[in-house]
Amino acid sequence: MAKLVEKAYGDALFDLSVDSSRVDELFEEAKAVKTVLVENKELMNLLTHPKVDKEEKEKVVENIFKDRISADMTGFMLLTIKKDRQKFLIRILDYYIDRVKEYKRIGVATVTTAYEMDEEKKGAVERKLIATTPYDSFEITYIVDESLIGGMIIRVGDKVIDSSLKSQIETMSRELYKIRLERW
C-alpha cells in the first residue's frame, strides 16, 4: 500500500512540476520540506497524530510553510492531509526527488574506498561514471572503510562494481578452498 501511495502522489507532483515547467523550483522545495520534516520529529508527530483533527494539521502546515514555499507545494501538503496520507509525506517526497533526479539525469552513487580520496581522484571517479552511464552529473557519497585494504566499491542504483582487494582476496580464498577439496 505504501509504495502505491508514494508512487501515486509522487507521480502527481512530478506531473504538476513538468506541466507547469517548474521542475527545478518544486525539486528544491521538496528537498527543503523533506529536510524540515525529517529534522522536526515533533512536527511529523503532530501531523500524524490521530487525535489532532485535520483542520488543525492544515493550519499548522499553512502557518509554517505559507509564503516560504510555493502555493503548489503547500497545496500538495494540504492534499496529503485531506486524504489522510501525511504519514507517507517523507516517502512521497523521496520518491518525487528520485524521479526528478532521473528526469534531470542526475545519478546517485556511493563510492567506498580504503582511504580518503583527494579531490583530483574524486573528480576522476565522477568523470568515469559520467562517461560510462546515462547520467549527466552525479551526487556521490564517499565512504572510507579501511577493511577493503585497497581498491573501491561503487554503487549506482542497484548496480555494484567491487574492485576492492578484500573482495579479490575472498574470491581467491574460495577458489583455493575448492581446489583443496577437489584434491582430497
Side-chain angles (χ1 to χ4, degrees), residues 10-18 22-31 73 92-108 135-137 139:
D11 285 343
L13 183 58
F14 179 77
D15 291 343
L16 169 71
S17 65
V18 171
R22 296 175 47 226
V23 174
D24 291 334
E25 176 188 348
L26 291 174
F27 178 59
E28 292 304 319
E29 287 182 359
K31 292 190 295 187
M73 185 60 75
I92 292 168
L93 292 172
D94 279 337
Y95 176 88
Y96 170 75
I97 290 165
D98 290 345
R99 179 103 193 263
V100 171
K101 285 179 183 177
E102 284 295 319
Y103 177 78
K104 295 177 69 161
R105 298 168 49 111
I106 300 170
V108 178
Y135 299 110
D136 295 335
S137 64
E139 291 179 359

Side-chain angles (χ1 to χ4, degrees), residues 120-138:
E120 182 180 326
K121 289 181 182 173
K122 288 179 180 179
V125 168
E126 183 172 5
R127 287 189 297 278
K128 186 68 172 178
L129 286 171
I130 290 170
T132 57
T133 64
Y135 299 110
D136 295 335
S137 64
F138 269 89

Side-chain angles (χ1 to χ4, degrees), residues 107-111 129 133-135 138 154-161:
V108 178
T110 303
V111 177
L129 286 171
T133 64
Y135 299 110
F138 269 89
I154 301 174
R155 295 179 196 276
V156 178
D158 60 352
K159 293 184 173 65
V160 178
I161 301 166

Side-chain angles (χ1 to χ4, degrees), residues 140-156:
I140 303 174
T141 302
Y142 292 94
I143 299 171
V144 174
D145 178 357
E146 294 176 359
S147 73
L148 296 182
I149 305 168
M152 66 179 63
I153 300 172
I154 301 174
R155 295 179 196 276
V156 178

